[in-house]
Amino acid sequence: LADEKSPFQHLQILDTARFGKIFVLDDIVQTSSVLEFSAPYGEMLAHLPLITHPNPKRGLIVGGGDYEIAREVFKHSSIEYLDLVDIDKRVGELTLRFMPDFTGGAEKDSRLQVHSEDGSEFVKKIPDGHYDFVLIDSTDPGGPSTPLFNARFIRNVYRILKRDGIVARQV
């Protein structure tokens, strides 16, 4: 359905008989429109930290341009504000074009602010103690996600968390 190279990565959306529409980045399957295959990942990354936090209100998703994690975060009624920063806006654009039901409407939620920029640069600008939680939904190390695996980024993530804040990441 889609096969293109952005300035950051190779993006594909394939229509398959068994797994529905699948999103592929740099030849690695990221997610599927069949929720039985994709939902466990999103549920684990979003719900475990959020049910552990005493009162999650403000959050940040680094990566997650397909809106999967935002979809799950918004299932928590305590959420007041959510930033989503993904380096490649084409991820969201292709998801919305070819897999619109996948997002659960997260992209339309008034609590969501989407930023198309490098997450490692974004966190540098955020004040100390700004977020209750940070969820890192990046690709594996390499390519555009490389800066999300260095010590400076991790220090900044912990700096922008409130005292009782929680961070979780895909690894």
Side-chain angles (χ1 to χ4, degrees), residues 88-166:
D88 195 342
K89 68 179 181 177
R90 290 300 292 155
V91 172
E93 291 169 352
L94 290 175
T95 300
L96 292 173
R97 180 173 175 197
F98 294 105
M99 301 166 61
D101 296 336
F102 177 79
T103 69
E107 77 282 0
K108 299 173 190 167
D109 195 299
S110 63
R111 298 169 289 175
L112 181 67
Q113 297 297 313
V114 178
H115 311 269
S116 294
E117 61 182 286
D118 183 330
S120 67
E121 294 299 318
F122 182 86
V123 296
K124 291 178 184 177
K125 303 181 287 187
I126 301 299
D128 294 1
H130 188 71
Y131 294 112
D132 297 307
F133 61 93
V134 176
L135 307 176
I136 305 166
D137 181 24
S138 68
T139 57
D140 293 335
S145 70
T146 299
L148 305 180
F149 290 87
N150 69 41
R152 179 179 299 128
F153 173 72
I154 299 301
R155 281 193 299 272
N156 275 318
V157 166
Y158 279 94
R159 178 186 59 74
I160 65 177
L161 283 171
K162 293 181 180 175
R163 185 179 172 103
D164 62 352
I166 293 178

Side-chain angles (χ1 to χ4, degrees), residues 23-126:
F23 205 121
V24 179
L25 295 177
D26 291 331
D27 299 322
I28 300 172
V29 173
Q30 302 299 306
T31 196
S32 165
S33 63
V34 177
L35 291 182
E36 295 90 317
F37 298 117
S38 68
Y41 168 83
E43 291 168 349
M44 295 292 283
L45 186 56
H47 298 303
L48 289 177
L50 295 180
I51 62 173
T52 304
H53 192 283
N55 191 20
K57 293 182 178 183
R58 295 184 65 84
L60 168 65
I61 299 170
V62 178
D66 60 15
Y67 301 100
E68 178 174 12
I69 304 305
R71 177 192 73 215
E72 297 303 317
V73 166
F74 286 137
K75 292 178 180 176
H76 294 261
S77 61
S78 64
I79 303 303
E80 296 175 356
Y81 184 87
L82 183 64
D83 279 316
L84 186 155
V85 58
D86 194 295
I87 197 168
D88 195 342
K89 68 179 181 177
R90 290 300 292 155
V91 172
E93 291 169 352
L94 290 175
T95 300
L96 292 173
R97 180 173 175 197
F98 294 105
M99 301 166 61
D101 296 336
F102 177 79
T103 69
E107 77 282 0
K108 299 173 190 167
D109 195 299
S110 63
R111 298 169 289 175
L112 181 67
Q113 297 297 313
V114 178
H115 311 269
S116 294
E117 61 182 286
D118 183 330
S120 67
E121 294 299 318
F122 182 86
V123 296
K124 291 178 184 177
K125 303 181 287 187
I126 301 299

